[in-house]
Amino acid sequence: MKECEYRQIPPGTPAAPPSLEPPPPATSCDTAAAAAAAATGAAATTTPTQRPRRKWEVFPGRNRFYCGGRLMLARHSGVFLLTLGLIVVTSGLFFAFDCPFLAHNLTLAIPVIAGILFFFVISCLLQTSFRDPGILPRASPSEAADLEKWIDNLGTSTYRPPARTMEVVINKYMVKLKYCYTCKMFRPPRTSHCSVCDNCVERFDHHCPWVGNCVGKRNYRYFYAFILSLSFLTAFIFACVITHLALRSQGSDFLTALKATPASVLELVVCFFSVWSIFGLSGFHTYLVASNLTTNEDLKGAWSNKRGSEFANPYSHKSILTNCCAVLCGPFYPSLIDRRGFIQADAGSPSTPKSEIPSFGTKSDASMCVRGTKELLRTLCASWQNPRQPQESLSNI
């Protein structure tokens, strides 16, 4: 390679005029370098930007999402498929083998009633299984750090850690709020952390593997309608199958009728072993609705009039009709996790002063909701309505 020559130009010397000689021909190295630079520039201009991710793609709970985050199920949903299969197969056999005979010999109302009940059962099951049960978003790192600072500031001694509970007053009853170490927040009243789905669920009733989801604030009414309509459908199919077999056995013995319709025998066995448990479950949840209780509260014995007035249910309206309307006909609440929303960069949130306590306010719901994201979880809030006292706010701690 030709070496470059350097020489010193005295100051004041005029610049040399540009040379009129043609530039030297480009070498193969220069051509390759230029081609590589052009390719790199073209690749940089044609590389597409990264697709923005939605919140359901990084959801911390143990859930599965379908249809772009519109539908959600628990991680282990095999029992849900079994439930759906039993309902569809049993009803399908009934429509295929029993309904034609009963419609021809009795009335056309039988397949119509069975069809309405089947449609209602399936729709309620899907609404219960694929709907957000009332999951509370977890606290962001900055919010969790602010809450930890506030909790540490409550400690009165250096050797004992501060308490991880809060005491609030709801309708003149003392209620404790427990701290969730997973979601990094104080759970609102009637909220519990599901160990299967790894989420805090508002008005947590129980985790039902038969529907493949938790049962909580946003899907309890669909769950109750599902088990109630399923009990009616099971009893209706059971009665119609017995009627079918009785009509067929009029001209012959009962065993001959059973051999002639083996599908009816299968339906009879399935309905016989399931109708008792379904009726018992429907009756139990009817009692819970009338008392405005949850399965979790009933099993733990949290509220009982037998233990004294201080342990009475603070959420009950003291009327069966009012409790049923509050549980089944109350307002429909939006989802708080915003699973189809886009992930945004953390812009930072204002810190909570150490001397302040999370504020409590009143809303139209008979529960407290905690917002865990920047937009949704800023403060703990509470609202409870007493039929005798229109609004009963939580007292300061």
Side-chain angles (χ1 to χ4, degrees), residues 117-161:
L117 287 175
F118 173 76
F119 176 77
F120 195 76
V121 167
I122 293 298
S123 61
C124 291
L125 173 61
L126 297 182
Q127 288 278 3
T128 306
S129 302
F130 294 127
R131 183 178 292 274
D132 169 25
I135 298 174
L136 292 177
R138 303 186 183 188
S140 63
S142 58
E143 291 164 343
D146 291 342
L147 187 57
E148 289 289 340
K149 292 179 182 178
W150 175 75
I151 294 175
D152 293 339
N153 191 49
L154 294 178
T156 57
S157 61
T158 57
Y159 61 92
R160 179 177 298 176

Side-chain angles (χ1 to χ4, degrees), residues 30-47:
D30 297 337
T31 305
T40 304
T45 55
T46 59
T47 300

Side-chain angles (χ1 to χ4, degrees), residues 22-262:
T27 62
S28 59
C29 295
D30 297 337
T31 305
T40 304
T45 55
T46 59
T47 300
T49 58
Q50 187 178 4
R51 180 183 66 86
R53 304 182 69 185
R54 296 186 183 270
K55 294 180 180 179
W56 67 267
E57 297 180 292
V58 294
F59 188 73
R62 301 192 192 104
N63 297 89
R64 290 180 178 177
F65 295 87
Y66 307 92
C67 299
R70 295 177 178 87
L71 307 178
M72 61 183 300
L73 269 176
R75 185 65 58 87
H76 305 288
S77 55
V79 184
F80 160 70
L81 299 178
L82 176 62
T83 304
L84 186 62
L86 284 175
I87 296 174
V88 171
V89 171
T90 306
S91 302
L93 292 176
F94 176 73
F95 286 120
F97 296 97
D98 297 281
C99 280
F101 181 86
L102 296 174
H104 182 266
N105 293 274
L106 292 180
T107 175
L108 288 173
I110 292 179
V112 174
I113 296 174
I116 294 175
L117 287 175
F118 173 76
F119 176 77
F120 195 76
V121 167
I122 293 298
S123 61
C124 291
L125 173 61
L126 297 182
Q127 288 278 3
T128 306
S129 302
F130 294 127
R131 183 178 292 274
D132 169 25
I135 298 174
L136 292 177
R138 303 186 183 188
S140 63
S142 58
E143 291 164 343
D146 291 342
L147 187 57
E148 289 289 340
K149 292 179 182 178
W150 175 75
I151 294 175
D152 293 339
N153 191 49
L154 294 178
T156 57
S157 61
T158 57
Y159 61 92
R160 179 177 298 176
R164 294 279 173 160
T165 58
M166 286 185 179
E167 290 186 352
V168 296
V169 178
I170 299 175
N171 292 337
K172 300 179 180 180
Y173 293 98
M174 188 69 67
V175 177
K176 280 189 176 182
L177 308 184
K178 296 181 180 180
Y179 182 81
C180 180
Y181 289 90
T182 302
C183 300
K184 304 297 182 182
M185 66 178 181
F186 284 97
R187 302 171 189 164
R190 314 189 89 176
T191 299
S192 183
H193 192 89
C194 176
S195 59
V196 179
C197 296
D198 198 23
N199 298 312
C200 276
V201 180
E202 283 190 283
R203 201 187 181 277
F204 178 77
D205 192 87
H206 68 289
H207 180 88
C208 182
W210 295 100
V211 300
N213 199 359
C214 291
V215 178
K217 179 180 179 179
R218 298 189 70 250
N219 65 347
Y220 181 80
R221 65 184 65 181
Y222 297 106
F223 173 77
Y224 180 72
F226 163 67
I227 59 176
L228 197 63
S229 59
L230 182 60
S231 61
F232 283 114
L233 177 63
T234 306
F236 184 79
I237 293 178
F238 186 75
C240 289
V241 170
I242 292 179
T243 304
H244 179 201
L245 295 176
L247 292 176
R248 278 188 176 274
S249 61
Q250 287 181 354
S252 61
D253 58 346
F254 190 71
L255 293 178
T256 305
L258 292 180
K259 294 178 181 179
T261 57

Side-chain angles (χ1 to χ4, degrees), residues 324-344:
C324 293
C325 293
V327 175
L328 302 178
C329 305
F332 187 78
Y333 302 95
S335 177
L336 298 179
I337 54 177
D338 188 24
R339 54 186 182 271
R340 283 188 50 79
F342 292 99
I343 300 175
Q344 298 178 357

